[in-house]
Amino acid sequence: MSPDAGEVVRCEAVAMSFGNVRALAGIDFHVDAGECVGLVGHNGAGKSTLMHILAGTLPPTCGGIAVGGTAQPAYGVAAAHRLGIRCVFQELSLCPNLTVAENARVFHRTLRGFGWRRRAGALILKQLDTIFPDHKIQPGATVSDLSIGRRQMVEVARAFTVTDAPLRLVILDEPTSSLDAHTAGQLLSFVRRFVAGGGSCILISHLLNEILHHCDRVVVLRDGRIVAADQARAFTRDRLVAAMGAEAATARPTRVKVRQAGEIRVLARAEKNDGAKPVTARAGEIIGLAGLAGHGQTKFLLDVFAASEHPADGLKVTAPVALVAGDRQSDGVFPFWSIAENIGIRSLNRLKRGIFLSPEMEAEHAESWRRRIGIRAQDVHANILWLSGGNQQKVLFARALGSDAAIVLMDDPMRGVDVATKLEVYDMIHAEAAKGRTFIWYTTELEELGHCDHVYVFRNGRIVADLHHDELSEEKVIQSSFQEQRPA
Amino acid sequence: MSFASVVPSPGSLAQGRRLLRTALPAISLVLILAGIAWMNPRAISYLGFNLMLNLAIPIALATIAQMFVITINDLDLSIGFFVSFVGCVTAVWLADQPELGIAMLLGGILIYAAVGALVYVFDLPSIVVTLGMSFVWQGLAIMVLPKPGGHASEWLHRLMTFHTPFVPFPVIAALVIAGVVHVGLMRSSYGAILRGAGGNAAAISRAGWSLLKAKIVAFALAGFFGVLSGLSLIGLTTAGDPNIGAGYTLLSIAGVILGGGEFVGGRVSPVGAVVGALTLALASSSLLSFMRIPPDWQVGANGAILIIVLAARALISRREA
């Protein structure tokens, strides 16, 4: 690997430690102009750390960074921006209280003086039009009013806007995790156009097909080291999974179950709007909610949740409910609490001695779930933020499964979770369903619907398809999701 | 804002909600005015507004000061005694030794900026730091002017009691304050950064902006408007008192919240804050006097009105959400 003129960025022997934990163990990594590099690995493999180092937000413990063949001894956020290296972080970095245009301003120091709002709005709108032609986002809209998918679109588009500084490399960390299949496709095809025009991308994704189909080169990280690096053509899904150190994802056939005649736990009758289908969920069933992101699936889950406490019109819920949040940072974890407290919060009534909460019982409860669910933590008293994203999500599962809830609602809970964790969670869901629990599972990943006994497809807040497990196919789901796309 | 799209998208619904939220402070002001008009129609006149709203101007300025601090997710518990301190300096020195007076006021703004830096650098809770500072300002005010006295500069008194044609001076002053701050915070390019620092500080710092500078700027602006508040107050009362601004801390916080601001998240509105301050000033003095509530009970009634108005806002906001 000799440095050539077309090299955008090169790291040499870059290592990073957080206290005693070594996140990166001295890796060499480079990106050339006009290529898209896929970066894959478990949660905790060091992908995010490497990305933060490249973006200049974390100074490496040791090692050197060169941009365009020139060593950068004082590399930081400002230098990265000046040299044309941008990053779309997994946790959104938009200001929710500002408008779309104002967020573009935050990114570009030159957007100032008279008329900056108009220029910022035009800049971001043009880029949104280029990447997501039918985005329907207005530059004057406040970000907090946008759905999470639209926010992600704004964030991605913003990273590709150009004013004074050049644009050479865009790092995309799980850019499609909150996008539906349609917009994700738009983004990935834009990435190919961008790369064809001489730009470079680093694509981090847990969706291996995205990596295999849209990257030129793939780098696999494991435990802070590069364990495989090759042309994307040379990889197959199985080889990638093997390199990451997980069991093959496709090895296990999807379980087929018969719809049981268990008691009805949730019954949502057809709403007033015509043609909407009723939803039934029985004991022991796994019910899938599908469709494009943001078409009413989350709202349905929240309605069910609310109906379990206060009776609602047309919605009958007959058992206690627990919710596994998908947006774990804002709806899931209590960031200042320990792992044990985060697990116990849904079960406080069972963890009391007399009228007081018993820390011993709470720790015991958490410890038993830590072992059952395989949360990678030394101590349940540690702060939850010490865990990687996938393990934080496991804590949220433990909170729901450890409670008395007979109905578990899941709001696209696998966002940004690594393959191995997903497989463990799937097994757990099947095991719990076999014991009679009901799962209502909203997912944006079509593969996951294969785990469901019954799938309802949402479109514009209504259910447009009602599919049994044996009549389920990706084509049918996609077809229904895009139903009425163009009104006649 | 546009409602152009035919299908009501979530965006336009949210915009409608925001419109309602923005109109709330104005609605509460109109309600209070209607109450006053009903009890005493003669108060709704040029002279009436001049009398009723005069003391609202210092409150509005203190509210704007508080709003800058709330913009960046902090809270200033020292603004009331800072206004007292400014008032005492103004009454004692500004008329007779203007250089010394101006230097002390500028020093006050610098200390405010330093408090902002302190809060950021040591990651201290602003409530604790400004609570401490409130005792510092109170102490300084008492040292400057141990008992009520002093006198206002002639120009200051003239300015504050100026009789503008047709529209009462306090109304014009309120419009100017709201307009200038609105342009500065909501329309300027650095204003967006300041509000962004309250909305998502990590995003602002990742984009290469200095959060230290944002804190310093916000606190310095709070100090600046605190100085204006103290000056205008002495222009009206013509004498200083170390406890003159004691009630301003809570009034300013209530004004910001009543005006549609939120404690965290960089969601503030300068126009709303000024309207909120006017509403509180009217509700707390004029309305109560017209209702013939004895002075002994006015402070308590004042608090009750505050609770009712803020509770109404909270209820309406919740229904929107």
Side-chain angles (χ1 to χ4, degrees), chain A residues 185-303:
Chain A
Q186 288 179 328
L187 169 61
L188 293 169
S189 68
F190 173 78
V191 165
R192 289 315 308 173
R193 276 182 279 150
F194 177 69
V195 169
S200 309
C201 270
I202 296 175
L203 182 62
I204 301 175
S205 178
H206 285 308
L207 301 176
L208 302 181
N209 286 333
E210 280 182 359
I211 296 282
L212 289 171
H213 294 150
H214 296 90
C215 295
D216 302 298
R217 203 152 56 81
V218 180
V219 172
V220 184
L221 283 176
R222 185 164 72 200
D223 299 331
R225 290 170 202 282
I226 293 179
V227 291
D230 207 339
Q231 299 301 310
R233 293 192 293 282
F235 279 102
T236 60
R237 196 188 159 81
D238 289 340
R239 194 184 149 201
L240 270 187
V241 171
M244 283 191 285
E247 313 88 278
T250 50
R252 191 169 44 88
T254 307
R255 221 170 294 187
V256 179
K257 289 209 302 186
V258 193
R259 187 157 192 165
Q260 298 153 318
E263 57 162 316
I264 293 182
R265 290 243 172 93
V266 175
L267 176 61
R269 277 193 297 279
E271 291 173 44
K272 278 138 267 165
N273 46 4
D274 55 313
K277 296 183 166 62
V279 176
T280 22
R282 292 165 191 274
E285 274 190 331
I286 304 173
I287 299 296
L289 307 182
L292 300 177
H295 274 255
Q297 298 95 334
T298 302
K299 183 177 180 302
F300 177 78
L301 291 179
L302 295 179
D303 285 348

Side-chain angles (χ1 to χ4, degrees), chain A residues 369-400:
Chain A
W369 278 96
R370 184 187 70 81
R371 262 181 277 120
R372 275 174 74 174
I373 215 167
I375 297 166
R376 282 174 201 93
Q378 298 298 319
D379 182 4
V380 293
H381 296 292
N383 183 286
I384 183 149
L385 297 185
W386 285 82
L387 299 179
S388 69
N391 279 302
Q392 287 182 24
Q393 196 65 44
K394 281 187 182 176
V395 168
L396 298 189
F397 272 106
R399 182 193 294 170

